[in-house]
């Protein structure tokens, strides 16, 4: 534990748990931090508006503590709203639905909803997969320039299957199609056992995450994917409508 940070957090937790405002002496006693140590910490926290100090020389939590708390509540509720829509997608198409974001040069899977009976996929919550082999990855980078994509992915595109695109020029041609269509496919590029379609989730013209549905390869066909796309786009619109009225940012998802 970093002692100075621990002291700041102790002060915040103590004041948050108390209904009444506290004096410096009372805070010192409740946190077991000496008054000589706690005084400059309190002054800094007041200056940065994490605490407020009244004329009676008593302290309470400040506006920035409220802002931090509200951000957490909002981001959690938005993620739960997305998961709720994912549950509806699974009910409507009876296939696995996944949510991913970009972490460095990979897709990071942050949520997954499954029907009662499902195939085992290569991906799972907490797993990283290449941007270039996944439907999620392709839509996550769709608003980037070709130069940005080249720089992000680099020259080494290791194949996961015989269908993985490993040539950057060919991959950029694929991204051009995604830009036109508004969705992307993984045609056995990550696993020979499954195929996938994904759509981006956009806020303020920025792709903040992506949502996909995967289907076992043996029962994948155009008609099925056309129906899944309608379902995905319906819930994408619901999610984006909700995001439009929040301060939610992509980094709030993790």
């Amino acid at each position: 534990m970093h002692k100075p940070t621990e002291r700041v957090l102790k002060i915040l937790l103590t004041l948050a748990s108390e209904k009444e405002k506290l004096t410096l002496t009372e805070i010192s006693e409740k946190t077991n931090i000496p008054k000589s140590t706690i005084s400059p910490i309190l002054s800094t926290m007041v200056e940065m508006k994490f605490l407020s100090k009244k004329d009676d020389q008593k302290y309470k939590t400040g506006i920035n503590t409220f802002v931090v708390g509200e951000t957490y509540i909002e981001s959690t509720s938005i993620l739960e709203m997305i998961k709720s829509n994912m549950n509806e997608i699974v009910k409507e198409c009876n296939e696995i639905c996944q949510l991913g974001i970009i972490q460095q040069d990979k897709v990071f899977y942050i949520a997954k909803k499954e029907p009662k009976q499902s195939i085992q996929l290569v991906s799972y919550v907490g797993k990283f997969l290449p941007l270039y082999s996944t439907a999620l990855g392709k839509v996550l980078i769709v608003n980037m320039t070709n130069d940005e994509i080249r720089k992000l992915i680099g020259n080494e595109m290791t194949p996961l299957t015989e269908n993985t695109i490993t040539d950057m020029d060919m991959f950029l041609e694929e991204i051009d199609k995604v830009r036109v269509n508004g969705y992307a496919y993984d045609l056995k590029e990550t696993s020979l056992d499954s195929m996938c379609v994904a759509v981006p989730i956009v806020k303020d013209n920025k792709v903040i995450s992506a949502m996909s549905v995967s289907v076992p390869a043996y029962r994948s066909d155009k008609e099925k994917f056309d129906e899944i796309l309608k379902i995905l786009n319906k819930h994408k619109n619901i999610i984006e409508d909700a995001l439009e009225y929040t301060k939610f940012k992509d980094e709030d998802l993790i």
Side-chain angles (χ1 to χ4, degrees):
M1 295 279 281
H2 184 247
K3 205 68 178 176
T5 306
E6 182 187 7
R7 289 170 182 150
V8 171
L9 297 177
K10 269 188 175 181
I11 292 167
L12 279 174
L13 289 170
T14 298
L15 283 166
S17 64
E18 294 287 334
K19 292 182 180 178
E20 303 297 328
K21 296 175 288 182
L22 300 177
T23 64
L24 186 152
T25 300
E26 289 169 333
I27 297 170
S28 175
E29 290 172 352
K30 289 178 180 291
T31 59
N32 293 316
I33 303 171
K35 286 199 282 187
S36 58
T37 301
I38 208 170
S39 181
I41 298 175
L42 292 175
S43 296
T44 302
M45 294 175 74
V46 169
E47 184 69 25
M48 296 188 68
K49 299 183 179 179
F50 282 92
L51 299 182
S52 67
K53 182 181 179 183
K54 300 303 177 182
D55 294 337
D56 58 6
Q57 301 303 302
K58 291 186 176 182
Y59 297 85
K60 69 174 186 176
T61 53
I63 185 65
N64 279 341
T65 303
F66 172 79
V67 169
V68 171
E70 283 295 292
T71 301
Y72 173 76
I73 292 168
E74 186 175 79
S75 65
T76 302
S77 62
I78 288 293
L79 183 54
E80 289 307 310
M81 180 274 293
I82 294 174
K83 288 180 179 179
S84 175
N85 277 273
M86 291 171 67
N87 278 328
E88 292 303 311
I89 290 168
V90 170
K91 289 178 185 177
E92 291 176 42
C93 67
N94 200 34
E95 303 291 353
I96 296 171
C97 183
Q98 299 168 104
L99 185 73
I101 60 173
I102 290 181
Q103 287 286 281
Q104 296 178 337
D105 62 341
K106 299 282 194 302
V107 178
F108 179 53
Y109 288 78
I110 61 172
K112 176 176 168 182
K113 299 296 180 182
E114 299 181 346
K116 290 183 179 179
Q117 292 184 339
S118 65
I119 61 165
Q120 185 67 37
L121 291 178
V122 173
S123 61
Y124 52 82
V125 173
K127 187 175 180 65
F128 292 86
L129 283 173
L131 291 165
Y132 58 84
S133 71
T134 55
L136 285 172
K138 292 171 188 176
V139 293
L140 282 168
I141 62 175
V142 70
N143 283 355
M144 293 183 181
T145 66
N146 286 357
D147 287 342
E148 288 172 334
I149 293 171
R150 287 181 188 274
K151 184 176 180 180
L152 180 63
I153 293 177
N155 296 321
E156 192 172 329
M157 299 170 69
T158 306
L160 273 66
T161 74
E162 62 195 42
N163 294 327
T164 307
I165 301 173
T166 56
D167 177 83
M168 180 54 74
D169 289 333
M170 288 180 63
F171 181 69
L172 292 176
E173 289 179 9
E174 176 78 0
I175 295 302
D176 282 338
K177 295 176 186 176
V178 177
R179 289 176 180 133
V180 172
N181 295 331
Y183 57 85
Y185 286 115
D186 166 2
L187 302 176
K188 303 184 187 178
E189 296 161 57
T190 302
S191 168
L192 292 175
D193 295 325
S194 66
M195 297 170 71
C196 185
V197 61
V199 295
I201 295 174
V202 179
K203 175 174 170 56
D204 298 330
N205 298 315
K206 181 181 178 183
V207 179
I208 63 167
S209 61
M211 196 164 53
S212 70
V213 168
S214 295
V215 181
Y218 70 88
R219 53 182 171 83
S220 301
D221 57 46
K222 185 179 183 304
E223 184 178 351
K224 184 171 185 65
F225 274 117
D226 285 347
E227 184 58 32
I228 288 171
L229 261 174
K230 289 178 184 177
I231 296 168
L232 274 173
N233 279 318
K234 178 178 74 174
H235 289 279
K236 161 191 163 75
N237 291 335
I238 293 170
I239 292 166
E240 289 179 350
D241 285 346
L243 289 173
E244 185 178 350
Y245 301 101
T246 73
K247 295 178 182 178
F248 185 77
K249 302 182 292 295
D250 53 341
E251 56 264 32
D252 292 330
L253 281 168
I254 57 171

